[in-house]
Amino acid sequence: MIQGKGAVLEETSGSASIDGIGVWVPAGRRPPRGAAGEIDWLLEGLLSRLILSERFSGKAGEVALLAAGRRFPAPWVLVAGVGNEPVSPGNADRALKAFFAACASLGWKTVALELPDESWGERIERRLKKEAGRGFRAEWFQGRGFLPQSTLA
């Protein structure tokens, strides 16, 4: 077990089945960077095309579901907007609420979830405690390598 700032992480084998991958995209950041940028590249610019066509803007609380294809450890990628950078606590909360509402409506139980930075750990942990009643689990990753390595409990 690893203690992070505001979050408890448990090691996992990474072999557990996940329903989807969750990443965060700020408004006005073009092209997408980090995990969102890697996913965009692997999907041959699909996220960039959504942004350029104004079908996704990165506004806090906005979500987009992308078919992941065979290059991913999950069949779907759920992209959530976090608003302008630096991300305010209110925008972070809106993004998390919209993200987990989308997961619930999709019937997802397990997601590989990007932790944008350490300040999000506490917020995500609180939200996961609310989601635990429906058996939800999130595996955490940070940065570009989106294969899950730890579980946020």
Short mmCIF file of all heavy atoms in Angstrom, two decimals, residues 34-93:
data_model
loop_
_atom_site.label_atom_id
_atom_site.label_comp_id
_atom_site.label_asym_id
_atom_site.label_seq_id
_atom_site.Cartn_x
_atom_site.Cartn_y
_atom_site.Cartn_z
N GLY A 34 -0.05 15.08 -22.50
CA GLY A 34 -0.05 14.03 -21.49
C GLY A 34 -0.80 12.81 -21.97
O GLY A 34 -0.71 12.43 -23.15
N ALA A 35 -1.54 12.19 -21.07
CA ALA A 35 -2.29 10.98 -21.41
C ALA A 35 -3.31 11.26 -22.51
O ALA A 35 -3.48 10.45 -23.43
CB ALA A 35 -2.98 10.42 -20.17
N ALA A 36 -3.98 12.41 -22.45
CA ALA A 36 -4.97 12.75 -23.49
C ALA A 36 -4.28 12.88 -24.85
O ALA A 36 -4.82 12.45 -25.87
CB ALA A 36 -5.71 14.03 -23.13
N GLY A 37 -3.08 13.45 -24.87
CA GLY A 37 -2.33 13.58 -26.11
C GLY A 37 -1.90 12.23 -26.66
O GLY A 37 -1.95 12.00 -27.87
N GLU A 38 -1.47 11.34 -25.77
CA GLU A 38 -1.08 10.00 -26.22
C GLU A 38 -2.28 9.25 -26.78
O GLU A 38 -2.20 8.61 -27.83
CB GLU A 38 -0.48 9.21 -25.05
CG GLU A 38 0.02 7.86 -25.45
CD GLU A 38 0.73 7.12 -24.33
OE1 GLU A 38 0.92 7.68 -23.25
OE2 GLU A 38 1.10 5.95 -24.56
N ILE A 39 -3.41 9.36 -26.10
CA ILE A 39 -4.63 8.70 -26.57
C ILE A 39 -5.06 9.29 -27.92
O ILE A 39 -5.41 8.57 -28.84
CB ILE A 39 -5.73 8.78 -25.51
CG1 ILE A 39 -5.39 7.81 -24.37
CG2 ILE A 39 -7.11 8.51 -26.10
CD1 ILE A 39 -6.23 7.96 -23.13
N ASP A 40 -4.98 10.61 -28.03
CA ASP A 40 -5.32 11.27 -29.29
C ASP A 40 -4.43 10.76 -30.42
O ASP A 40 -4.91 10.46 -31.52
CB ASP A 40 -5.18 12.79 -29.12
CG ASP A 40 -5.65 13.56 -30.33
OD1 ASP A 40 -6.72 13.23 -30.88
OD2 ASP A 40 -4.94 14.51 -30.74
N TRP A 41 -3.14 10.62 -30.14
CA TRP A 41 -2.20 10.14 -31.15
C TRP A 41 -2.55 8.71 -31.55
O TRP A 41 -2.59 8.38 -32.74
CB TRP A 41 -0.77 10.24 -30.60
CG TRP A 41 0.25 9.77 -31.57
CD1 TRP A 41 0.72 10.45 -32.67
CD2 TRP A 41 0.94 8.52 -31.56
NE1 TRP A 41 1.65 9.68 -33.33
CE2 TRP A 41 1.81 8.49 -32.66
CE3 TRP A 41 0.90 7.42 -30.71
CZ2 TRP A 41 2.63 7.41 -32.95
CZ3 TRP A 41 1.72 6.35 -30.99
CH2 TRP A 41 2.58 6.35 -32.09
N LEU A 42 -2.81 7.83 -30.57
CA LEU A 42 -3.14 6.44 -30.86
C LEU A 42 -4.47 6.31 -31.60
O LEU A 42 -4.68 5.35 -32.34
CB LEU A 42 -3.16 5.61 -29.58
CG LEU A 42 -1.79 5.37 -28.95
CD1 LEU A 42 -1.94 4.78 -27.55
CD2 LEU A 42 -0.93 4.49 -29.83
N LEU A 43 -5.36 7.27 -31.40
CA LEU A 43 -6.65 7.27 -32.11
C LEU A 43 -6.59 8.12 -33.38
O LEU A 43 -7.62 8.54 -33.90
CB LEU A 43 -7.76 7.78 -31.18
CG LEU A 43 -8.11 6.87 -30.01
CD1 LEU A 43 -9.18 7.52 -29.12
CD2 LEU A 43 -8.59 5.51 -30.51
N GLU A 44 -5.37 8.37 -33.84
CA GLU A 44 -5.14 9.08 -35.10
C GLU A 44 -5.81 10.45 -35.14
O GLU A 44 -6.40 10.85 -36.14
CB GLU A 44 -5.55 8.21 -36.28
CG GLU A 44 -4.77 6.92 -36.33
CD GLU A 44 -5.22 5.95 -37.41
OE1 GLU A 44 -6.24 6.23 -38.08
OE2 GLU A 44 -4.55 4.93 -37.57
N GLY A 45 -5.73 11.17 -34.00
CA GLY A 45 -6.22 12.55 -33.96
C GLY A 45 -7.71 12.71 -33.73
O GLY A 45 -8.26 13.79 -33.93
N LEU A 46 -8.39 11.66 -33.28
CA LEU A 46 -9.84 11.74 -33.09
C LEU A 46 -10.22 12.85 -32.10
O LEU A 46 -11.13 13.64 -32.38
CB LEU A 46 -10.40 10.40 -32.61
CG LEU A 46 -11.90 10.36 -32.30
CD1 LEU A 46 -12.73 10.75 -33.52
CD2 LEU A 46 -12.30 8.98 -31.79
N LEU A 47 -9.54 12.92 -30.96
CA LEU A 47 -9.86 13.96 -29.98
C LEU A 47 -9.57 15.35 -30.55
O LEU A 47 -10.38 16.26 -30.39
CB LEU A 47 -9.07 13.73 -28.68
CG LEU A 47 -9.28 14.75 -27.57
CD1 LEU A 47 -10.75 14.89 -27.21
CD2 LEU A 47 -8.47 14.34 -26.34
N SER A 48 -8.47 15.50 -31.25
CA SER A 48 -8.15 16.79 -31.88
C SER A 48 -9.23 17.20 -32.88
O SER A 48 -9.62 18.37 -32.95
CB SER A 48 -6.80 16.72 -32.59
OG SER A 48 -5.75 16.64 -31.66
N ARG A 49 -9.72 16.22 -33.64
CA ARG A 49 -10.79 16.53 -34.61
C ARG A 49 -12.07 16.96 -33.89
O ARG A 49 -12.78 17.86 -34.37
CB ARG A 49 -11.04 15.35 -35.53
CG ARG A 49 -9.90 15.13 -36.53
CD ARG A 49 -10.24 14.16 -37.64
NE ARG A 49 -10.71 12.85 -37.20
CZ ARG A 49 -9.92 11.83 -36.86
NH1 ARG A 49 -8.61 11.98 -36.88
NH2 ARG A 49 -10.44 10.67 -36.50
N LEU A 50 -12.39 16.33 -32.76
CA LEU A 50 -13.57 16.75 -31.99
C LEU A 50 -13.41 18.18 -31.49
O LEU A 50 -14.36 18.96 -31.50
CB LEU A 50 -13.80 15.81 -30.80
CG LEU A 50 -14.33 14.42 -31.10
CD1 LEU A 50 -14.37 13.58 -29.82
CD2 LEU A 50 -15.71 14.50 -31.73
N ILE A 51 -12.20 18.50 -31.06
CA ILE A 51 -11.92 19.86 -30.56
C ILE A 51 -12.01 20.87 -31.70
O ILE A 51 -12.67 21.91 -31.58
CB ILE A 51 -10.55 19.90 -29.87
CG1 ILE A 51 -10.58 19.08 -28.57
CG2 ILE A 51 -10.12 21.34 -29.59
CD1 ILE A 51 -9.22 18.78 -27.96
N LEU A 52 -11.37 20.57 -32.82
CA LEU A 52 -11.38 21.49 -33.96
C LEU A 52 -12.78 21.70 -34.54
O LEU A 52 -13.10 22.78 -35.01
CB LEU A 52 -10.43 20.99 -35.06
CG LEU A 52 -8.95 21.10 -34.71
CD1 LEU A 52 -8.10 20.39 -35.77
CD2 LEU A 52 -8.53 22.55 -34.58
N SER A 53 -13.61 20.66 -34.48
CA SER A 53 -14.98 20.79 -34.99
C SER A 53 -15.93 21.38 -33.95
O SER A 53 -17.12 21.49 -34.19
CB SER A 53 -15.51 19.42 -35.45
OG SER A 53 -15.67 18.57 -34.33
N GLU A 54 -15.37 21.73 -32.78
CA GLU A 54 -16.11 22.33 -31.67
C GLU A 54 -17.18 21.40 -31.10
O GLU A 54 -18.17 21.85 -30.53
CB GLU A 54 -16.69 23.69 -32.08
CG GLU A 54 -15.61 24.69 -32.44
CD GLU A 54 -16.14 26.05 -32.83
OE1 GLU A 54 -17.37 26.24 -32.89
OE2 GLU A 54 -15.31 26.93 -33.09
N ARG A 55 -16.99 20.09 -31.25
CA ARG A 55 -17.91 19.14 -30.63
C ARG A 55 -17.45 18.78 -29.21
O ARG A 55 -18.18 18.13 -28.48
CB ARG A 55 -18.06 17.89 -31.49
CG ARG A 55 -18.76 18.24 -32.80
CD ARG A 55 -19.09 17.05 -33.62
NE ARG A 55 -17.94 16.17 -33.78
CZ ARG A 55 -17.85 15.21 -34.66
NH1 ARG A 55 -18.82 15.01 -35.50
NH2 ARG A 55 -16.78 14.46 -34.74
N PHE A 56 -16.22 19.18 -28.87
CA PHE A 56 -15.69 19.04 -27.51
C PHE A 56 -14.77 20.23 -27.27
O PHE A 56 -13.92 20.54 -28.10
CB PHE A 56 -14.91 17.73 -27.34
CG PHE A 56 -14.41 17.52 -25.94
CD1 PHE A 56 -15.24 16.99 -24.97
CD2 PHE A 56 -13.12 17.88 -25.59
CE1 PHE A 56 -14.79 16.82 -23.67
CE2 PHE A 56 -12.66 17.71 -24.30
CZ PHE A 56 -13.49 17.18 -23.33
N SER A 57 -14.97 20.91 -26.11
CA SER A 57 -14.19 22.12 -25.85
C SER A 57 -13.28 22.03 -24.63
O SER A 57 -12.39 22.84 -24.47
CB SER A 57 -15.13 23.32 -25.66
OG SER A 57 -15.86 23.16 -24.45
N GLY A 58 -13.53 21.06 -23.76
CA GLY A 58 -12.76 20.98 -22.52
C GLY A 58 -13.39 21.77 -21.38
O GLY A 58 -12.81 21.91 -20.31
N LYS A 59 -14.60 22.29 -21.61
CA LYS A 59 -15.32 23.02 -20.56
C LYS A 59 -15.58 22.09 -19.38
O LYS A 59 -15.84 20.90 -19.56
CB LYS A 59 -16.64 23.54 -21.14
CG LYS A 59 -17.51 24.30 -20.18
CD LYS A 59 -18.74 24.81 -20.88
CE LYS A 59 -19.72 23.67 -21.03
NZ LYS A 59 -21.04 24.05 -21.51
N ALA A 60 -15.48 22.61 -18.17
CA ALA A 60 -15.68 21.80 -16.97
C ALA A 60 -17.05 21.13 -16.99
O ALA A 60 -18.06 21.78 -17.21
CB ALA A 60 -15.53 22.64 -15.70
N GLY A 61 -17.06 19.81 -16.81
CA GLY A 61 -18.30 19.06 -16.79
C GLY A 61 -18.69 18.45 -18.13
O GLY A 61 -19.61 17.65 -18.21
N GLU A 62 -17.98 18.78 -19.18
CA GLU A 62 -18.25 18.23 -20.50
C GLU A 62 -17.55 16.87 -20.63
O GLU A 62 -16.43 16.70 -20.16
CB GLU A 62 -17.70 19.20 -21.55
CG GLU A 62 -17.90 18.79 -22.96
CD GLU A 62 -17.30 19.82 -23.93
OE1 GLU A 62 -16.29 20.45 -23.61
OE2 GLU A 62 -17.87 19.95 -25.00
N VAL A 63 -18.22 15.90 -21.23
CA VAL A 63 -17.62 14.57 -21.43
C VAL A 63 -17.83 14.11 -22.87
O VAL A 63 -18.79 14.52 -23.52
CB VAL A 63 -18.18 13.50 -20.45
CG1 VAL A 63 -17.79 13.81 -19.02
CG2 VAL A 63 -19.67 13.34 -20.59
N ALA A 64 -16.91 13.28 -23.33
CA ALA A 64 -17.01 12.68 -24.66
C ALA A 64 -16.56 11.23 -24.55
O ALA A 64 -15.54 10.94 -23.91
CB ALA A 64 -16.15 13.43 -25.67
N LEU A 65 -17.31 10.33 -25.17
CA LEU A 65 -16.99 8.91 -25.16
C LEU A 65 -16.38 8.53 -26.51
O LEU A 65 -16.99 8.78 -27.55
CB LEU A 65 -18.25 8.09 -24.90
CG LEU A 65 -18.08 6.59 -24.79
CD1 LEU A 65 -17.22 6.23 -23.57
CD2 LEU A 65 -19.45 5.92 -24.68
N LEU A 66 -15.18 7.94 -26.47
CA LEU A 66 -14.48 7.56 -27.70
C LEU A 66 -14.27 6.05 -27.72
O LEU A 66 -13.90 5.46 -26.70
CB LEU A 66 -13.10 8.24 -27.75
CG LEU A 66 -13.05 9.75 -27.49
CD1 LEU A 66 -11.61 10.23 -27.50
CD2 LEU A 66 -13.89 10.50 -28.50
N ALA A 67 -14.50 5.43 -28.85
CA ALA A 67 -14.19 4.00 -29.01
C ALA A 67 -12.67 3.87 -29.04
O ALA A 67 -11.99 4.55 -29.80
CB ALA A 67 -14.81 3.46 -30.29
N ALA A 68 -12.14 2.99 -28.20
CA ALA A 68 -10.69 2.92 -28.01
C ALA A 68 -9.96 2.10 -29.05
O ALA A 68 -8.81 2.38 -29.36
CB ALA A 68 -10.39 2.38 -26.61
N GLY A 69 -10.55 1.07 -29.56
CA GLY A 69 -9.84 0.23 -30.51
C GLY A 69 -8.93 -0.77 -29.80
O GLY A 69 -8.89 -0.85 -28.59
N ARG A 70 -8.17 -1.51 -30.59
CA ARG A 70 -7.37 -2.62 -30.05
C ARG A 70 -6.09 -2.20 -29.35
O ARG A 70 -5.45 -3.03 -28.72
CB ARG A 70 -7.01 -3.56 -31.17
CG ARG A 70 -8.20 -4.27 -31.72
CD ARG A 70 -7.74 -5.28 -32.72
NE ARG A 70 -8.66 -5.25 -33.86
CZ ARG A 70 -8.67 -6.15 -34.79
NH1 ARG A 70 -7.81 -7.13 -34.76
NH2 ARG A 70 -9.52 -6.07 -35.78
N ARG A 71 -5.67 -0.98 -29.49
CA ARG A 71 -4.40 -0.54 -28.90
C ARG A 71 -4.50 -0.26 -27.40
O ARG A 71 -3.51 0.09 -26.78
CB ARG A 71 -3.91 0.72 -29.59
CG ARG A 71 -3.60 0.52 -31.03
CD ARG A 71 -3.10 1.81 -31.61
NE ARG A 71 -2.79 1.64 -33.02
CZ ARG A 71 -2.29 2.60 -33.76
NH1 ARG A 71 -2.04 3.78 -33.25
NH2 ARG A 71 -2.03 2.38 -35.03
N PHE A 72 -5.66 -0.39 -26.84
CA PHE A 72 -5.90 0.02 -25.46
C PHE A 72 -6.30 -1.16 -24.59
O PHE A 72 -6.85 -2.14 -25.10
CB PHE A 72 -7.02 1.07 -25.42
CG PHE A 72 -6.65 2.35 -26.10
CD1 PHE A 72 -6.83 2.51 -27.45
CD2 PHE A 72 -6.12 3.40 -25.36
CE1 PHE A 72 -6.49 3.69 -28.09
CE2 PHE A 72 -5.77 4.58 -25.99
CZ PHE A 72 -5.95 4.73 -27.35
N PRO A 73 -6.09 -1.05 -23.28
CA PRO A 73 -6.48 -2.12 -22.37
C PRO A 73 -7.97 -2.09 -22.02
O PRO A 73 -8.42 -2.82 -21.15
CB PRO A 73 -5.63 -1.86 -21.13
CG PRO A 73 -5.41 -0.39 -21.14
CD PRO A 73 -5.32 -0.01 -22.60
N ALA A 74 -8.73 -1.23 -22.67
CA ALA A 74 -10.17 -1.09 -22.44
C ALA A 74 -10.83 -0.71 -23.77
O ALA A 74 -10.19 -0.12 -24.64
CB ALA A 74 -10.44 -0.02 -21.39
N PRO A 75 -12.13 -0.99 -23.90
CA PRO A 75 -12.80 -0.70 -25.17
C PRO A 75 -13.18 0.77 -25.38
O PRO A 75 -13.48 1.17 -26.49
CB PRO A 75 -14.05 -1.58 -25.12
CG PRO A 75 -14.30 -1.82 -23.67
CD PRO A 75 -12.96 -1.79 -23.00
N TRP A 76 -13.18 1.55 -24.30
CA TRP A 76 -13.67 2.94 -24.37
C TRP A 76 -12.73 3.89 -23.65
O TRP A 76 -12.08 3.52 -22.69
CB TRP A 76 -15.05 3.06 -23.73
CG TRP A 76 -16.07 2.21 -24.37
CD1 TRP A 76 -16.54 1.01 -23.91
CD2 TRP A 76 -16.77 2.46 -25.58
NE1 TRP A 76 -17.47 0.49 -24.77
CE2 TRP A 76 -17.64 1.36 -25.81
CE3 TRP A 76 -16.74 3.49 -26.51
CZ2 TRP A 76 -18.47 1.29 -26.93
CZ3 TRP A 76 -17.57 3.41 -27.62
CH2 TRP A 76 -18.42 2.34 -27.81
N VAL A 77 -12.74 5.15 -24.12
CA VAL A 77 -12.05 6.25 -23.45
C VAL A 77 -13.09 7.32 -23.16
O VAL A 77 -13.82 7.74 -24.06
CB VAL A 77 -10.91 6.85 -24.31
CG1 VAL A 77 -10.30 8.07 -23.62
CG2 VAL A 77 -9.86 5.81 -24.64
N LEU A 78 -13.19 7.72 -21.89
CA LEU A 78 -14.09 8.79 -21.50
C LEU A 78 -13.24 10.02 -21.22
O LEU A 78 -12.41 10.01 -20.31
CB LEU A 78 -14.91 8.40 -20.27
CG LEU A 78 -15.99 9.37 -19.83
CD1 LEU A 78 -17.02 9.61 -20.94
CD2 LEU A 78 -16.68 8.86 -18.57
N VAL A 79 -13.43 11.05 -22.03
CA VAL A 79 -12.67 12.29 -21.92
C VAL A 79 -13.54 13.30 -21.18
O VAL A 79 -14.71 13.47 -21.53
CB VAL A 79 -12.31 12.83 -23.32
CG1 VAL A 79 -11.53 14.12 -23.23
CG2 VAL A 79 -11.56 11.79 -24.13
N ALA A 80 -12.98 13.92 -20.16
CA ALA A 80 -13.74 14.91 -19.38
C ALA A 80 -13.04 16.26 -19.41
O ALA A 80 -11.83 16.35 -19.20
CB ALA A 80 -13.89 14.43 -17.93
N GLY A 81 -13.80 17.29 -19.67
CA GLY A 81 -13.27 18.65 -19.64
C GLY A 81 -13.14 19.15 -18.22
O GLY A 81 -13.97 18.84 -17.36
N VAL A 82 -12.07 19.93 -17.98
CA VAL A 82 -11.83 20.47 -16.63
C VAL A 82 -11.82 21.99 -16.60
O VAL A 82 -11.50 22.59 -15.58
CB VAL A 82 -10.51 19.92 -16.04
CG1 VAL A 82 -10.61 18.43 -15.81
CG2 VAL A 82 -9.31 20.27 -16.90
N GLY A 83 -12.16 22.63 -17.70
CA GLY A 83 -12.18 24.09 -17.73
C GLY A 83 -10.78 24.66 -17.92
O GLY A 83 -9.85 23.96 -18.28
N ASN A 84 -10.66 25.96 -17.68
CA ASN A 84 -9.39 26.65 -17.90
C ASN A 84 -8.36 26.28 -16.86
O ASN A 84 -8.70 25.96 -15.72
CB ASN A 84 -9.62 28.17 -17.88
CG ASN A 84 -10.47 28.63 -19.04
OD1 ASN A 84 -10.37 28.10 -20.14
ND2 ASN A 84 -11.33 29.60 -18.79
N GLU A 85 -7.07 26.36 -17.27
CA GLU A 85 -5.97 26.10 -16.34
C GLU A 85 -5.55 27.40 -15.69
O GLU A 85 -5.63 28.45 -16.31
CB GLU A 85 -4.79 25.49 -17.09
CG GLU A 85 -5.08 24.10 -17.56
CD GLU A 85 -3.86 23.46 -18.20
OE1 GLU A 85 -3.45 23.93 -19.27
OE2 GLU A 85 -3.35 22.51 -17.61
N PRO A 86 -5.07 27.42 -14.46
CA PRO A 86 -5.07 26.28 -13.56
C PRO A 86 -6.50 25.90 -13.18
O PRO A 86 -7.37 26.76 -13.08
CB PRO A 86 -4.27 26.76 -12.34
CG PRO A 86 -4.42 28.24 -12.34
CD PRO A 86 -4.58 28.64 -13.79
N VAL A 87 -6.71 24.61 -12.99
CA VAL A 87 -8.06 24.10 -12.73
C VAL A 87 -8.50 24.50 -11.33
O VAL A 87 -7.82 24.22 -10.35
CB VAL A 87 -8.10 22.57 -12.89
CG1 VAL A 87 -9.47 22.02 -12.56
CG2 VAL A 87 -7.69 22.18 -14.30
N SER A 88 -9.62 25.19 -11.27
CA SER A 88 -10.15 25.62 -9.96
C SER A 88 -10.78 24.44 -9.25
O SER A 88 -11.21 23.47 -9.88
CB SER A 88 -11.19 26.72 -10.17
OG SER A 88 -12.36 26.17 -10.74
N PRO A 89 -10.89 24.51 -7.90
CA PRO A 89 -11.57 23.43 -7.17
C PRO A 89 -13.00 23.20 -7.67
O PRO A 89 -13.44 22.06 -7.78
CB PRO A 89 -11.55 23.92 -5.72
CG PRO A 89 -10.35 24.81 -5.65
CD PRO A 89 -10.30 25.50 -7.00
N GLY A 90 -13.72 24.27 -7.99
CA GLY A 90 -15.09 24.13 -8.49
C GLY A 90 -15.14 23.40 -9.82
O GLY A 90 -15.99 22.53 -10.04
N ASN A 91 -14.21 23.73 -10.72
CA ASN A 91 -14.17 23.04 -12.02
C ASN A 91 -13.75 21.59 -11.86
O ASN A 91 -14.27 20.71 -12.55
CB ASN A 91 -13.22 23.76 -12.98
CG ASN A 91 -13.86 24.98 -13.62
OD1 ASN A 91 -15.06 25.22 -13.47
ND2 ASN A 91 -13.07 25.75 -14.32
N ALA A 92 -12.83 21.32 -10.96
CA ALA A 92 -12.43 19.93 -10.70
C ALA A 92 -13.63 19.13 -10.20
O ALA A 92 -13.87 18.01 -10.65
CB ALA A 92 -11.29 19.89 -9.68
N ASP A 93 -14.40 19.70 -9.29
CA ASP A 93 -15.58 19.01 -8.76
C ASP A 93 -16.62 18.78 -9.86
O ASP A 93 -17.22 17.71 -9.93
CB ASP A 93 -16.19 19.79 -7.59
CG ASP A 93 -15.32 19.72 -6.34
OD1 ASP A 93 -14.49 18.79 -6.23
OD2 ASP A 93 -15.46 20.62 -5.48
#
